[in-house]
Amino acid sequence: MKTMRTSTAEGVRGGFGGAIDRIVRTRLDALEVVRIRGSVALDVSEVQLALGCVGETPECLGQVAQQLDVQVLLLPNLDRAGDELILSVAVFRASDGDLSRVVRRASGSDAETQLLDAVDGLLRELFGLPPAEEEEPGL
């Protein structure tokens, strides 16, 4: 599997996409659900442009996976809607053309922190894993 660089929309603080990339990679390694063969220094739209295809269709993402020589792509995206910050992460499986996506939203002055804290749960949901067991206070 390869992770694409987080796509960021206008209004998202510069550099926050890189923070998301690092947290996603760290959490994926810890969850051991896929073997990561690296990250791509481009976001998916840049790779699609180079290939001459557009959109998150199975055909286009299949071309991207083939070009990168992987069976699974991870596609993180950050967007802003008003005062809300939105993180969506999609996983594309080339073997069957399946595209799954999970979304988390946060608002307020600590929206970035909220999203960083939500990455583990987001990835667990995306890969069908149970929620993390919470430690009891005082342990």
Side-chain angles (χ1 to χ4, degrees), residues 41-110:
L42 303 169
D43 67 34
V44 72
S45 64
E46 293 166 327
V47 175
Q48 289 173 325
L49 181 63
L51 294 173
C53 69
V54 179
E56 290 186 355
T57 64
E59 295 78 19
C60 187
L61 291 175
Q63 288 180 41
V64 172
Q66 182 178 13
Q67 181 67 31
L68 298 174
D69 192 29
V70 294
Q71 290 298 308
V72 180
L73 291 173
L74 195 73
L75 312 160
N77 183 65
L78 281 167
D79 205 352
R80 179 166 293 283
D83 68 341
E84 196 171 52
L85 197 55
I86 304 160
L87 171 63
S88 69
V89 179
V91 64
F92 173 76
R93 292 174 179 82
S95 60
D96 59 7
D98 182 54
L99 180 67
S100 302
R101 179 181 314 278
V102 176
V103 177
R104 295 291 187 271
R105 299 170 182 270
S107 59
S109 61
D110 65 341

Side-chain angles (χ1 to χ4, degrees), residues 27 31 119-133:
R27 293 310 309 144
L31 293 173
V119 167
D120 185 71
L122 180 148
L123 292 173
R124 286 176 174 280
E125 183 179 336
L126 189 64
F127 287 97
L129 300 173
E133 291 183 26

